[in-house]
């Protein structure tokens, strides 16, 4: 058992959330019991994940997508009420790390996507939301279709590819999750391809007209690794139990 405040301070020191202009609250979102022995991690604090946490008797739920997003309704009703009631009834802490987890240099979603895909990181392109959200690097040269097939194989989700050219892919930029508009920065930096999680209607036209091939590889699929790695880091550092639960999500 370890006090939750110790875990929170450790994660805050690691992730440095004050460096980011985020859309949500990073860190402790719902306070539960003070002592923690079991941490369950997952991408999103859905009801399905909370039900797994209750069944496993978790003391803390650790997620990438928590609650209290900018511009969402303030009232705690309906689905939000049920989720929060589950946490409060069972005295479970909810901790969420959003942009700081995307950007972290060793445990972040972006660097772990590169590791999974075998891409060589060359640097990061700064953005107004914080540093390290848009990575760029090199990969073994291949055709656009071959990269789509590799993403499918390694992420277990078929990507949507929008072709911006017919040349081989070698220089690549990426940002996990809902970062499709960063395609503009990637194109202006001279990248052959940009990979993110989601696509919008406008992304198709941006890719075609700016001459960069875009891959929508799945918001959930591109953001599974970071939160699992953070949970494993906590477990190894503090001798507590950790379990990652992957709630299926095709988006």
């Amino acid at each position: 058992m370890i006090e939750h405040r110790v875990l929170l301070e450790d994660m805050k020191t690691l992730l440095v959330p004050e460096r980011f202009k985020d859309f949500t609250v990073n860190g402790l979102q719902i306070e539960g019991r003070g002592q923690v022995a079991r941490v369950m991690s997952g991408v999103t604090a859905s009801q399905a994940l909370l039900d797994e946490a209750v069944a496993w008797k978790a003391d803390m739920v650790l997620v990438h997508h928590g609650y209290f997003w900018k511009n969402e309704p303030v009232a705690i009703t309906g689905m939000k009420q049920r989720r929060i009631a589950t946490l409060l009834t069972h005295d479970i802490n909810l901790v969420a790390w959003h942009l700081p987890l995307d950007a972290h240099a060793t445990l972040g979603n972006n660097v772990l996507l590169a590791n999974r895909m075998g891409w060589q990181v060359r640097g990061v392109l700064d953005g107004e939301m914080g540093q390290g959200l848009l990575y760029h690097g090199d990969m073994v040269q291949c055709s656009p279709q071959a990269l789509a097939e590799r993403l499918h194989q390694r992420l277990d989700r078929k990507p949507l590819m929008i072709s911006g050219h017919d040349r081989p892919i070698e220089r690549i930029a990426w940002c996990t999750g809902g970062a499709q508009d960063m395609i503009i920065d990637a194109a202006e930096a001279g990248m052959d391809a940009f990979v993110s999680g989601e696509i919008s209607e406008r992304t198709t036209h941006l890719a075609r007209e700016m001459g960069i091939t875009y891959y929508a590889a799945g918001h959930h699929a591109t953001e599974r690794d970071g939160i699992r790695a953070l949970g494993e880091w906590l477990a190894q550092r503090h001798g507590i139990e950790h379990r990652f639960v992957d709630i299926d999500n095709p988006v």
Side-chain angles (χ1 to χ4, degrees):
M1 301 285 281
I2 187 167
E3 292 185 24
H4 69 39
R5 63 177 181 83
V6 174
L7 299 180
L8 291 165
E9 284 302 315
D10 219 10
M11 288 186 281
K12 183 178 179 180
T13 300
L14 176 77
L15 298 172
V16 200
E18 59 269 20
R19 294 191 298 116
F20 299 88
K21 289 175 60 179
D22 215 332
F23 311 100
T24 186
V25 178
N26 283 292
L28 184 64
Q29 292 193 341
I30 305 290
E31 187 172 17
R33 61 182 65 95
Q35 297 290 319
V36 175
R38 286 184 164 187
V39 174
M40 176 171 287
S41 65
V43 177
T44 299
S46 63
Q47 189 65 50
L49 183 67
L50 300 185
D51 291 343
E52 289 280 352
V54 170
W56 191 56
K57 294 182 170 55
D59 305 301
M60 178 179 287
V61 171
L62 182 64
V63 295
H64 184 48
H65 302 136
Y67 307 150
F68 312 117
W69 297 91
K70 183 179 179 181
N71 296 328
E72 76 172 22
V74 175
I76 300 175
T77 60
M79 180 183 73
K80 183 189 291 188
Q81 186 276 337
R82 292 190 294 273
R83 290 176 171 184
I84 292 175
T86 299
L87 291 161
L88 293 175
T89 298
H90 297 278
D91 210 15
I92 300 172
N93 296 278
L94 176 66
V95 178
W97 300 104
H98 189 231
L99 296 184
L101 185 61
D102 288 320
H104 193 266
T106 58
L107 300 180
N109 286 316
N110 283 322
V111 72
L112 293 179
L113 177 60
N115 293 349
R116 181 178 287 272
M117 295 301 302
W119 300 334
Q120 178 65 50
V121 176
R122 295 299 182 191
V124 297
L125 301 171
D126 294 350
E128 64 177 11
M129 304 303 292
Q131 185 179 23
L133 298 175
L134 179 58
Y135 272 54
H136 69 93
D138 304 323
M139 55 173 284
V140 176
Q141 189 179 94
C142 70
S143 69
Q145 187 57 46
L147 177 54
E149 292 170 359
R150 192 174 303 164
L151 284 162
H152 186 187
Q153 180 184 55
R154 299 193 179 179
L155 295 178
D156 196 27
R157 180 193 184 277
K158 187 175 181 179
L160 175 62
M161 182 181 80
I162 303 298
S163 180
H165 56 78
D166 58 5
R167 64 182 181 270
I169 306 294
E170 184 172 11
R171 296 170 300 171
I172 188 166
W174 63 96
C175 181
T176 64
Q180 55 267 47
D181 288 338
M182 286 186 178
I183 190 174
I184 298 171
D185 295 320
E188 291 178 345
M191 299 294 110
D192 300 315
F194 177 61
V195 177
S196 188
E198 297 184 16
I199 188 167
S200 299
E201 188 274 343
R202 61 186 175 274
T203 319
T204 297
H205 304 293
L206 288 169
R208 290 172 177 169
E209 295 178 35
M210 298 188 80
I212 182 170
T213 295
Y214 178 69
Y215 300 86
H219 196 139
H220 179 86
T222 58
E223 295 194 327
R224 287 179 296 204
D225 288 341
I227 200 68
R228 173 163 39 194
L230 181 60
E232 291 172 354
W233 179 83
L234 276 182
Q236 292 168 5
R237 189 172 174 86
H238 295 284
I240 56 179
E241 289 186 71
H242 167 249
R243 178 186 168 203
F244 173 76
V245 175
D246 190 14
I247 303 297
D248 180 62
N249 189 329
V251 174

